[in-house]
Amino acid sequence: VQLQASGGGLVQAEGSLRLSCASSGGTFSSYLMGWFRQAPGKEREFVAAIRRRSYITTYADSVKRRFTISRDNTKNTVYLQMNSLEPEDTAVYYCAAGLYDTSSTSPREYDYWGQGTQVTVSS
């Protein structure tokens, strides 16, 4: 399974970005999909996840009501719509796929990872 994240960039505070993550080489509809991020000097942290069958979503408290995760199984793609961005959202964002359909927020529960896309929010 290969995951290719895109859509990052430089944006001003209160702006928006939409990240995409395209999957290839596997059965996308069978995967739990998640987004994580890692800021310089910090550990990788959970952002959002969407389950494979129910499409139930889970969010980190820090991004609730600002970020929306969605998936299009016909395009083998998961999205992260990010609104009202804050400088604290600056990080490299990674998409990940998990073989088990849970609402897991732990990186250890995800089996495949994309290469990351940089998001920088200026104040």
Side-chain angles (χ1 to χ4, degrees), residues 33-106:
M33 296 301 299
W35 287 96
F36 291 78
R37 66 187 182 186
Q38 187 166 18
K42 295 187 177 181
E43 293 187 354
R44 190 168 299 190
E45 66 173 358
F46 171 78
V47 175
I50 183 166
R51 296 179 63 171
R52 63 188 183 190
R53 292 193 180 96
S54 63
Y55 283 34
I56 290 174
T57 57
T58 307
Y59 296 94
D61 288 343
S62 60
V63 306
K64 280 181 180 176
R65 293 176 293 279
R66 298 190 300 123
F67 291 10
T68 302
I69 187 172
S70 61
R71 65 190 298 161
D72 186 339
N73 287 347
T74 66
K75 297 182 178 179
N76 294 346
T77 301
V78 62
Y79 305 96
L80 185 69
Q81 178 66 43
M82 305 185 296
N83 299 328
S84 301
L85 283 161
E86 304 168 351
E88 293 74 22
D89 296 316
T90 295
V92 177
Y93 283 70
Y94 298 90
C95 60
L99 297 176
Y100 297 98
D101 193 30
T102 69
S103 296
S104 178
T105 62
S106 170

Side-chain angles (χ1 to χ4, degrees), residues 1 3 23 31-34 95-99 109-114:
V1 175
L3 302 174
S23 173
Y31 300 133
L32 164 71
M33 296 301 299
C95 60
L99 297 176
E109 298 299 320
Y110 290 79
D111 302 279
Y112 305 104
W113 292 83

